[in-house]
Amino acid sequence: MTTQPRADAIVVGAGIVGAACARALAREGMLVTVVESQFVGGGTTAAGMGHLVVMDDSPSQLALTALSVELWRDLRPSLGASVEFDPCGTLWIAEDASQLDAAREKARAYHAHGIACEIIGPSRLAELEPNLRGGLAGALLVREDAVIYPTSAARWLLDDARAHGATVRESCTVDEISDRAVRIGHEVLEADVIVNAAGPGSVHLTPGLPIVPRKGHLAITDRAPGFCRHQLVELGYLASAHVMTNESVAFNVQPRRTGQILIGSSRELVEWDASINRDVLRQMLDRAVQYMPALSRVPVLRTWTGFRPATPDKLPLIGRWGTIAGLFIAAGHEGLGITTSLGTARLIADLVAGRRPPIDATAFAPARVLTPSVVSH
Amino acid sequence: MTPSDAELVSADVLVVGAGPAGIAAAATIAESGRRVVLVDQSPTVGGQIWRHRHGSTPPAAARRWIARLQRSGTEVRCETTVVDLYASAESGLFSAVVERGTSAAVIHAPCVVLATGARERFLPFRGWTLPGVIGVGGAQALLKSGMSFAGKRVVIAGSGPLLLPVAAALVEDGARVQLVAEQADGRAVARFALGLWRRPATLAQAARYRAGFLGAPYRVGQWVTAARGAERLEEVTITDGRRERVLPCDTLCSAYGLVPNIQLARLLGCRVANGAAVVDARQETSVARVYAVGEASGIGGVELALVEGQIGALCAIGRDGEARRLHSDRASLAAIAAAMEQTFAPREELRAIATPDTIVCRCEDVTMGAIRAEWTMRQAKLYTRAGMGPCQGRVCGTALEFLHGWHADTGRTPAEPALVSTILADRSGSARPATPQGSAAHD
Amino acid sequence: MSSPALVAIVVDGRELRVPAGTTVAAALLSAGIDTFRRSVTGEIRAPLCGMGVCYECRLTIDGVSHRRACLVLAVDGLSVSTTPAGAA
């Protein structure tokens, strides 16, 4: 029924991961079609904080985030102003001596990977961030981390993909992925490569993906320029982000280019309930005020929620999905989708081309989750 | 402020908005002995239409009702903004988180009356962001809150009967009104006026207003297309669709009708239709024990607001029989309101007066050209930030609904910008208010 | 009817006397002060809606920023700054 040339690759999902994959594949010379059920950058991507961050929860995560942050830095000169790339850096805040020890551990891991960072003491911390409360033990400063505006970044990446011949179809829902094909209603699109980059919804298209929606709340304030200058995250965040229990909050605050302050973060497993949970919102704001008392007097303009696609081993699924011909998965990035979109795209492009990726992709192989019961379907 | 400083208030009924509808509702309910808390974000009661300049006399109806309110025992809280309103599944109570300056309180009540009134519909045109460009109701509000218009050269260009009293009031204050321009066609306006033959008092009132600005021309079928000036307004361009002319002025009062304030209704999950809260014959919304009266349930003017406020109040306290006596008044006033909406609806040409570099979102300085008509409101927000500022889309969102036929985005808390401390002040989960004494509305 | 008492407020260091019952927004406008704030792209802005909806009249009042001047009554000693605290 379609009179267009058959695509070489179909990317399902125009969030930041799909956009990055589409761009990477288009730049490989492939004819790419992106299919998005709503509009570009409107899903989890729109809810995200846009923090480009190196995280060392595991060696694989460190490798992927470090690669990605470097790719974002390389891309920075080309990015449009709307992407609002801000190289503000991250300060991992230590409340006490034991957290400062944890920060030093982190610093060692980062240094070993060539990531520039330094431990700073309480007085330097107070100089850098005067609105942080007194009595903190110090922080780990990671200068090369940055912040972007996720939806604009997704759009920019897709514009680049379009410039390399890609087509983007919005308001277009994929009902089924099968061997080298996707079905949209009665329409069937064929391609040798299909990439499932549909975020938390990727499980609907590829049953068996161990991805669950992990809800997060955010709040943004009115303009208070200079209130904070770095992305500020408590070291306790690491404990929160990587425990799959219900309901946790962590101090995580970001200065936006507009001068507004973006306040996160929370994690809950409540299926797909996108409504604001006022208790969780309050806990999150409470935590923020504990670290930055002056936040108390700043007006909040909006609150919203988003669903992070979470996997049990906290690593994304990047690579072939063996049971469906031509299918690659690029999903399950939890709270690191914005950062690792570029690294993911790089891996996908390499895996599709049969090249050796710049980092070991084994840990991300979707095949790792295949149990005998799944395979038999 | 620590959470323990937050005030907890218990009421039988919370009335939001102290315009005519809210005053009528609160007074009626409080007179029955129930505990009523009435909140309004303005410094005084009266809403927009009953505002009066300090030292001047409000209209007789306002005096009567405000006196009645004061006698009724209603607890009136002015300068108080409702930033959040929700139902607690466990307690069956509604909780309103309110902010006053930097203080916060939480008001719990089993019943809520939304009398949140209306705001003006602003449509963008070149130069509308210049100082000196205000609304029509905006001019009235500023005049009544003490602004002097003496000596100012004023052009009023907008829509609806509100143009008349505002023009008269400005002239009385010493303004030099150059022109009052009604965008609706002359034939439509004449038809509407004729349709008021059953209400000679209304026609007489209109004539009195017109007499109040006799020195200035009142023209129909004309609208403003541009405002110009270096740092503030200096002149406007008016068109009748064929010819344009330029009028020097320093004040332009321009707005195109009223739209209901339904943010709180939306937040509670009330059904809305045609931009208003949907109510039944008892003025109850689709959410049990939440009533909507006055402009919030549909634009209709002062008299209708008073009638609806009373109907909703009487039904809220179980006096449906008495409420029914007001039904025919409501029906005839609603019919006039419907005719008014139709007559004065903004004309097609108003969709085309903005240019691509005209700002449509004033909070974020987003231009018309940055927004594509085929987007949704949500897309425009995410792609351009339009609607993401402190006014939460009350100005640009309303304009975009008209300009591009969009639907409003869903509302979330906070309903108005709220201090972090205010949001934290609500500890309802852990601290419950004491049960009020002798309150029949509680089980 | 006797004229209402006057109250004195300080706006950007300058004293303004206005009748009691006047809002801060009305006070500034009556005194010919047109610049309430600067928009994101630097435009001068003044009140539009007069009733707390548009947020164009935001000022710092008694040290608290982002307050809608059209909703605040001028009272003796009130201090007003037309440069919102810390805004760009």
Side-chain angles (χ1 to χ4, degrees):
Chain A
M1 105 166 215
T2 175
T3 54
Q4 288 154 339
R6 175 193 159 116
D8 298 318
I10 296 169
V11 175
V12 182
I16 200 159
V17 173
C21 289
R23 173 177 175 267
L25 294 176
R27 280 174 164 259
E28 295 271 331
M30 296 178 85
L31 192 60
V32 178
T33 298
V34 182
V35 186
E36 161 57 49
S37 63
Q38 293 187 65
F39 55 86
V40 174
T44 297
T45 296
M49 276 186 119
H51 185 197
L52 300 179
V53 58
V54 175
M55 291 270 275
D56 68 326
D57 187 59
S58 65
S60 303
Q61 190 188 74
L62 178 54
L64 184 61
T65 55
L67 167 67
S68 299
V69 170
E70 196 187 320
L71 289 172
W72 277 110
R73 259 207 318 282
D74 292 342
L75 200 54
R76 181 189 175 181
S78 322
L79 292 173
S82 66
V83 179
E84 292 178 7
F85 188 104
D86 183 0
C88 56
T90 305
L91 276 168
W92 292 92
I93 313 290
E95 272 192 291
D96 53 36
S98 81
Q99 285 194 1
L100 197 57
D101 284 339
R104 290 192 183 98
E105 273 292 315
K106 207 169 160 65
R108 273 190 285 275
Y110 282 24
H111 281 141
H113 209 91
I115 308 291
C117 62
E118 59 179 293
I119 295 288
I120 62 174
S123 55
R124 178 95 180 100
L125 180 59
E127 268 171 50
L128 289 179
E129 293 287 352
N131 283 310
L132 278 172
R133 71 166 169 84
L136 296 168
L140 172 65
L141 171 61
V142 185
R143 287 189 195 285
E144 308 274 280
D145 283 353
V147 162
I148 58 172
Y149 182 48
T151 297
S152 290
R155 294 179 78 206
W156 187 91
L157 291 167
L158 270 182
D159 283 343
D160 191 78
R162 281 190 184 98
H164 288 84
T167 314
V168 181
R169 294 175 57 173
E170 292 174 293
S171 304
C172 205
T173 306
V174 171
D175 296 305
E176 193 188 343
I177 300 179
S178 49
D179 290 344
R180 296 199 172 84
V182 303
R183 183 174 60 78
I184 301 156
H186 295 301
E187 187 187 3
V188 175
L189 293 181
E190 294 176 335
D192 286 334
V193 171
I194 315 281
V195 180
N196 181 349
S202 54
V203 288
H204 303 309
L205 293 171
T206 307
L209 292 182
I211 293 175
V212 295
R214 207 143 176 232
K215 180 180 178 184
H217 286 73
L218 288 122
I220 195 163
T221 69
D222 205 341
R223 286 173 164 79
F227 188 90
C228 63
R229 300 88 185 258
H230 306 75
Q231 176 108 16
L232 303 173
V233 193
E234 62 164 300
L235 280 159
Y237 173 91
L238 301 170
S240 150
H242 304 293
V243 178
M244 293 286 264
T245 55
N246 237 356
E247 242 178 80
S248 61
V249 299
F251 170 63
N252 191 346
V253 152
Q254 177 191 99
R256 298 224 62 102
R257 265 274 146 88
T258 57
Q260 293 171 281
I261 305 158
L262 184 52
I263 307 172
S265 63
S266 79
R267 282 173 162 76
E268 302 164 76
L269 289 170
V270 283
E271 294 289 314
W272 289 96
D273 178 9
S275 65
I276 299 288
N277 178 321
R278 288 169 171 84
D279 283 333
V280 174
L281 179 66
R282 277 192 297 262
Q283 285 175 52
M284 187 180 88
L285 292 174
D286 216 13
R287 193 101 187 115
V289 168
Q290 280 173 41
Y291 280 84
M292 303 188 96
L295 262 183
S296 197
R297 280 290 178 262
V298 183
V300 170
L301 299 187
R302 283 177 11 254
T303 63
W304 66 95
T305 61
F307 294 102
R308 305 175 186 83
T311 59
D313 65 359
K314 310 160 223 164
L315 292 173
L317 303 163
I318 308 171
R320 277 192 195 278
W321 184 253
T323 54
I324 307 262
L327 179 59
F328 290 76
I329 310 295
H333 296 78
E334 222 269 351
L336 289 170
I338 310 300
T339 303
T340 60
S341 56
L342 292 189
T344 300
R346 179 67 191 272
L347 295 184
I348 289 285
D350 287 342
L351 294 169
V352 164
R355 289 190 300 261
R356 183 201 206 89
I359 62 172
D360 182 4
T362 331
F364 312 118
R368 74 187 190 272
V369 308
L370 286 173
T371 61
S373 62
V374 175
V375 167
S376 68
H377 284 120
Chain B
M1 191 200 73
T2 62
S4 60
D5 294 339
E7 203 193 342
L8 289 179
V9 181
S10 241
D12 292 323
V13 182
L14 168 66
V15 181
V16 184
I23 290 173
T28 304
I29 298 173
E31 282 163 3
S32 75
R34 285 167 176 81
R35 182 154 176 211
V36 180
V37 174
L38 172 64
V39 300
D40 194 287
Q41 61 181 12
S42 298
T44 55
V45 301
Q48 301 312 319
I49 199 93
W50 279 351
R51 290 173 91 125
H52 61 279
R53 200 139 181 190
H54 201 95
S56 76
T57 320
R63 283 200 312 276
R64 277 199 310 273
W65 272 105
I66 291 172
R68 210 172 139 178
L69 176 72
Q70 283 161 349
R71 284 192 309 267
S72 70
T74 300
E75 180 182 328
V76 179
R77 292 170 168 248
C78 286
E79 297 180 308
T80 300
T81 302
V82 178
V83 302
D84 195 12
L85 182 54
Y86 60 93
S88 161
E90 329 162 316
S91 66
L93 295 175
F94 296 98
S95 302
V97 181
V98 302
E99 185 174 283
R100 180 168 188 263
T102 54
S103 304
V106 185
I107 304 170
H108 299 282
C111 174
V112 175
V113 177
L114 297 174
T116 45
R119 63 186 183 281
E120 299 196 272
R121 176 189 284 115
F122 293 104
L123 297 178
F125 49 88
R126 279 161 297 160
W128 76 299
T129 57
L130 283 167
V133 178
I134 57 181
V136 176
Q140 183 182 74
L142 288 168
L143 172 70
K144 293 185 180 183
S145 55
M147 176 178 170
S148 166
F149 284 82
K152 291 202 182 288
R153 286 166 309 156
V154 179
V155 169
I156 301 174
S159 195
L162 185 58
L163 301 184
L164 302 180
V166 172
L170 293 182
V171 167
E172 198 186 1
D173 198 49
R176 289 145 54 196
V177 176
Q178 318 278 295
L179 167 70
V180 180
E182 163 63 61
Q183 57 91 31
D185 272 327
R187 267 198 300 271
V189 176
R191 249 197 326 270
F192 175 73
L194 287 172
L196 289 173
W197 70 268
R198 276 194 205 87
R199 308 190 76 95
T202 307
L203 284 173
Q205 178 64 273
R208 272 199 298 279
Y209 287 140
R210 179 66 184 104
F213 63 97
L214 260 179
Y218 174 80
R219 298 278 177 268
V220 291
Q222 296 190 8
W223 59 95
V224 67
T225 55
R228 264 179 302 278
E231 300 217 307
R232 68 169 335 278
L233 178 68
E234 289 166 18
E235 61 183 35
V236 297
T237 302
I238 304 284
T239 187
D240 62 3
R242 290 183 315 265
R243 279 185 311 264
E244 287 190 339
R245 65 189 196 284
V246 175
L247 287 178
C249 61
D250 50 56
T251 302
L252 170 65
C253 309
S254 182
Y256 297 92
L258 301 175
V259 294
N261 287 324
I262 50 171
Q263 297 80 8
L264 292 179
R266 278 206 145 94
L267 205 49
L268 284 172
C270 301
R271 253 186 69 220
V272 302
N274 302 319
V278 174
V279 294
D280 61 16
R282 303 170 69 247
Q283 302 291 144
E284 195 171 20
T285 67
S286 62
V287 175
R289 286 175 288 112
V290 176
Y291 296 80
V293 296
E295 312 287 61
S297 62
I299 304 301
V302 175
E303 292 177 62
L304 181 57
L306 288 169
V307 168
E308 289 180 347
Q310 291 172 83
I311 291 174
L314 291 167
C315 293
I317 58 178
R319 284 155 48 176
D320 291 50
E322 286 175 59
R324 270 189 283 276
R325 291 187 223 141
L326 294 165
H327 283 196
S328 74
D329 274 350
R330 180 174 61 185
S332 53
L333 288 165
I336 298 171
M340 195 156 61
E341 282 288 284
Q342 214 183 27
T343 303
F344 297 103
R347 60 196 301 146
E348 280 302 305
E349 289 90 332
L350 292 170
R351 286 198 172 89
I353 54 176
T355 60
D357 53 7
T358 303
I359 285 174
V360 57
C361 168
R362 299 169 66 121
C363 294
E364 299 291 327
D365 281 4
V366 183
T367 59
M368 286 296 297
I371 295 174
R372 292 193 210 146
E374 65 267 21
W375 287 346
T376 59
M377 194 78 76
R378 187 161 176 263
Q379 235 171 325
K381 274 188 184 174
L382 287 171
Y383 287 1
T384 68
R385 275 210 189 81
M388 296 241 232
C391 96
Q392 300 177 323
R394 285 173 172 83
V395 175
C396 72
T398 307
L400 289 166
E401 284 179 51
F402 171 73
L403 295 170
H404 292 322
W406 289 353
H407 298 293
D409 199 12
T410 50
R412 284 187 298 268
T413 184
E416 295 257 7
L419 296 174
V420 170
S421 56
T422 297
I423 299 174
L424 290 176
D426 179 18
R427 305 266 158 183
S428 304
S430 47
R432 292 171 182 281
T435 316
Q437 308 299 329
S439 140
H442 279 285
D443 294 342
Chain C
M1 184 175 328
S2 61
S3 56
L6 294 180
V7 297
I9 64 174
V10 179
V11 179
D12 288 338
R14 166 187 156 197
E15 188 182 86
L16 283 187
R17 291 182 161 268
V18 294
T22 306
T23 61
V24 173
L28 266 66
L29 290 171
S30 295
I33 298 172
D34 277 329
T35 305
F36 277 61
R37 70 178 198 98
R38 293 266 172 183
S39 77
V40 167
T41 57
E43 285 189 353
I44 293 172
R45 295 288 173 80
L48 171 72
C49 78
M51 53 182 80
V53 170
C54 72
Y55 280 82
E56 292 282 31
C57 66
R58 285 178 293 159
L59 301 174
T60 298
I61 298 179
D62 282 345
V64 180
S65 63
H66 304 107
R67 301 206 58 194
R68 288 170 283 177
C70 67
L71 295 178
V72 179
L73 282 179
V75 295
D76 265 324
L78 201 75
S79 118
V80 178
S81 165
T82 61
T83 307

